[in-house]
Amino acid sequence: MKISSKAPLALTALLALLALILGVSGTALVTAQVAGIEAVYVQGDIPLDPESQFWQELEKAEIPLVSQNIVYPLAGEGETRKVRVAAAVNDQGLLAIYLEWDDPTKDVPVPGGIDVFPDQAAVQFPVSNESLPYICMGTTEQPVSIVLWRAPDMAETLIAGSAYGMSPEQREALGLHSVPTSPIELLPPEAQVWASEAVWSDGVWKVVIYRPMGSTYELVPSLTLGQEVSVAFALWDGSKGESGGKKSTSAWFTLKLAGPAAPPTEVTETVTETQTVFETETVTETRGGVGLALAGFIVGVLVYTLAVAAYVYLVKPRQQ
Amino acid sequence: MVRAQISMVMVLDKCIGCHTCSLTCKNVWTNREGQEYAWWNNVETRPGVGFPKVWENQEKYGGGWTLQNGKLRLRIETKKYKMPSKEDYYEPFTYEYDKLFSDQLMDQQPHADPISLYSDEKIEVQWGPNFDDDLAGGDLTIPADPNWAGMEKAMYKEFKNVFMFYLPRICNHCLNPSCLAACPRKSIYKRPEDGIVLIDQTRCRGYRQCVQACPYKKVYYNWKTGKSEKCIFCYPRIETGQPPVCALTCVGKIRYVGVVLYDEERALEVAKAPESQLVALQRDLILDPFDPQVVRAAREAGVPDNFIEAARKSPIYYMFKKWEIALPLHPEFRTLPMVFYVPPLNPVITILDKNGKLGADYDSVIPTIDKLRIPIRYLANMFAAGNEEEVRKALKKLLAIREFFRQIEVEGKSKSEAAWVLEENGLTVQDAEMMFRWLAHSRDRYVIPTAKKELRIRVPRRG
Ligand code: SF4
Ligand code: SF4
Ligand code: SF4
């Protein structure tokens, strides 16, 4: 049937619309489910030197970031940056993520550097993989786990959205302040799972951050081989005075942790699939699937309205 | 909600500008890498630019709050401002002291060059935290003092030969701290039990928005730890009933430490008051610790009895609230600063007529305040958001006390005969005696209740 060739377009339009609506309504960005980063499986040690051949030869996903413009202080310039990402897992249960981005200035703390802002990068994970938390550092109900890397070489494990729902006793048991006073908190020493290796040369930061996949700490997600997790990225350019809320951030992306059992063909397929969807998204209009796109749009609005209505009339009253 | 606040008064006439307070604070708290340039306590000469350079100029630094359509806004949220840099502070240095002993025998005396504490290299020293001490810097630094606002240009030229005073500064442990409000990580908190403003070092991530937002520039970024630090009102000493280091070691005995009770709920509203009323309304916030209703409310709010007791003997309560001789520094920054200053009288330009009688410039026996050496306008810009009346009132009372004791000591009058001088200025003989004990004898300067950890007040949930 002719129409079947256009069906993916409609679906894409619908997805794009949902992403838009959900994004605007501050829930989540569905794009995360479609674009992917593959953590390759390695037998034995993963090289941690960012300049090693291993990382240099690995294919990297290019993730776009934009200056956040939701909370004060705004970065001001609506500039776009990119971070190139690769990842690896191994049989010893280590996850390593390679981040590489262009930054003509190396901003690191120096003696007396009271107006120096170090360059920083962060990767964000949902604490629970059931549904996607709010992209901007989670919410009370859905906290996010963050690894913050700071030049020249420091990695911290943080929690944001900070599980406000917990009782003071629960929080104290987790080594947090009994009363949450900050939207983002440093986890106690036993939950500091991330470490890093970093190099800056010729205007490029190359950073490897790594952690054991398993976690016994409630607010650090435990990861397993073969699993898909959502990730989001952030960068700070110190030379532009960026720190805290002044940063650029990405949408959610999928990080697939390969396992030894996973047949390689399947993996490639996933990658191509996600890429196709990405492309289709941008070419939807030029290919002229307007009618169907419109249909998708209308269906999307209907679905959304129904969902909201269902939520308001069915779910909400029960919560109260 | 009644809260207790530990607070300080500095009597500026007594400050001799010795910097002992700065050095002892440094030796105890900031004598380490990362804080070399930090002076949690510093002493400035006025008129002058202070430390960091012209910190009072918020057009440059963007500190404190502004009032926009009746709402308080952090000034840093309204525009992009410059972060204070090494040039605004200084490059800390030491000298090659070793050379004085180890140099080879030469015709010239050995000398020790300055070396940077940052690079260990020789540097040419350009500026320091007190480079305009005692009016050094003259025509460069004196006119740059922001407190000349509203005065004629020619005036400072005239005044620079006539007056000078010292202004020691610590963090004001404000009731409406803009440093606290500016921190996105909510790392800064005001202790509910005594109002000391602290930065949680486990939470701070060195965003430095507090450095920009504090209009007094009393938050210092530590380049070594990547976190910000500030005066802690020596809380480990306070908790055990001891005065802060800077107060304990003050040579001029100018510092008074005590507790005041205040109405927390009204603080924000007062911070929004018209400039001319800022001092009066801040005074209004301070509650009478003898009022049974206040005492009851304080107890209900968890203020321990020893704090209430201390508030009744507090020199701060008397000097700021009851006698109105102490004033806050730059109330127009709207942070409700809780370190107060008794403004300097400086010598009166005495005018006697041909017969040796007091000239027409005297209000009864007290010289017209405007004939004092330091222009009232200047002091009002510094301590009263421009409200000259507040300064006049304070200075008149100080003069009344002097005159009262002069009449007794010099003219041999009895207390009741001299009491009218006090009454004219709203003071009693009892007030005068208390003031005399505190200001002249410097007795009982510190009334510090020990911390009652077991009664710790829980902060209400935020966020
Ligand atoms: S003086 Fe500055 S640092 Fe101290 S409490 Fe006030 S605003 Fe904060
Ligand atoms: S109170 Fe303590 S920390 Fe603050 S300036 Fe004085 S000595 Fe330094
Ligand atoms: S120690 Fe006292 S007298 Fe000396 S400068 Fe400091 S405040 Fe003034």
Side-chain angles (χ1 to χ4, degrees), chain B residues 8 21 24-26 28-29 39-42 169-171 173 230-235 237 244-247 255:
Chain B
M8 193 185 283
C21 46
T24 48
C25 172
K26 179 147 239 16
V28 173
W29 301 119
W39 293 92
W40 292 359
N41 182 111
N42 77 300
R169 302 201 297 121
I170 66 170
C171 160
H173 297 276
K230 62 181 282 301
C231 155
I232 56 174
F233 215 101
C234 291
Y235 73 83
R237 295 179 55 86
V245 171
C246 56
R255 298 185 183 218

Side-chain angles (χ1 to χ4, degrees), chain B residues 16-258:
Chain B
I16 58 169
C18 62
H19 297 274
T20 307
C21 46
S22 306
L23 289 169
T24 48
C25 172
K26 179 147 239 16
N27 281 339
V28 173
W29 301 119
T30 60
N31 193 8
R32 57 200 153 84
E33 225 183 347
Q35 286 281 279
E36 302 93 337
Y37 76 104
W39 293 92
W40 292 359
N41 182 111
N42 77 300
V43 183
E44 299 169 2
T45 294
R46 291 317 180 104
V49 294
F51 174 76
K53 274 180 210 153
V54 286
W55 59 269
E56 286 150 303
N57 180 358
Q58 305 310 340
E59 287 307 310
K60 178 176 179 188
Y61 292 112
W65 303 91
T66 54
L67 212 50
Q68 277 187 356
N69 309 321
K71 284 206 180 103
L72 283 177
R73 276 193 77 185
L74 286 172
R75 204 178 259 111
I76 50 163
E77 287 188 6
T78 60
K79 206 169 95 187
K80 230 180 173 159
Y81 288 96
K82 189 183 163 292
M83 181 74 69
S85 66
K86 195 156 73 186
E87 285 63 49
D88 300 310
Y89 298 99
Y90 74 119
E91 177 149 359
F93 55 90
T94 182
Y95 293 94
E96 296 175 301
Y97 291 115
D98 278 356
K99 251 188 94 187
L100 298 180
F101 304 101
S102 61
D103 228 9
Q104 286 173 353
L105 196 59
M106 288 186 295
D107 288 344
Q108 309 94 337
Q109 279 197 0
H111 67 278
D113 284 324
I115 37 176
S116 162
L117 283 180
Y118 292 152
S119 64
D120 286 336
E121 308 275 328
K122 278 188 195 176
I123 51 164
E124 192 144 335
V125 176
Q126 300 286 351
W127 188 252
N130 58 343
F131 259 38
D132 59 346
D133 232 11
D134 296 346
L135 300 182
D139 285 344
L140 285 179
T141 54
I142 295 171
D145 185 324
N147 296 293
W148 293 116
M151 301 175 64
E152 277 171 48
K153 268 261 149 88
M155 208 154 171
Y156 59 68
K157 287 230 171 85
E158 186 189 318
F159 273 111
K160 83 170 186 198
N161 301 320
V162 186
F163 86 90
M164 181 199 100
F165 65 93
Y166 299 108
L167 180 73
R169 302 201 297 121
I170 66 170
C171 160
N172 294 288
H173 297 276
C174 309
L175 296 187
N176 182 31
S178 48
C179 59
L180 184 155
C183 176
R185 288 286 281 260
K186 301 207 168 70
S187 313
I188 307 186
Y189 60 104
K190 186 168 179 66
R191 300 212 302 192
E193 63 268 38
D194 56 15
I196 295 179
V197 175
L198 297 171
I199 304 179
D200 183 338
Q201 294 292 301
T202 62
R203 196 171 289 163
C204 174
R205 283 296 169 279
Y207 297 168
R208 279 159 274 178
Q209 265 150 260
C210 54
V211 174
Q212 283 201 294
C214 169
Y216 303 94
K217 290 292 160 280
K218 278 295 167 190
V219 185
Y220 296 89
Y221 177 67
N222 181 322
W223 58 264
K224 181 82 182 173
T225 61
K227 293 163 190 196
S228 299
E229 299 181 16
K230 62 181 282 301
C231 155
I232 56 174
F233 215 101
C234 291
Y235 73 83
R237 295 179 55 86
I238 289 287
E239 284 171 7
T240 52
Q242 303 174 75
V245 171
C246 56
L248 177 80
T249 59
C250 174
V251 174
K253 298 182 179 168
I254 82 157
R255 298 185 183 218
Y256 299 75
V257 181

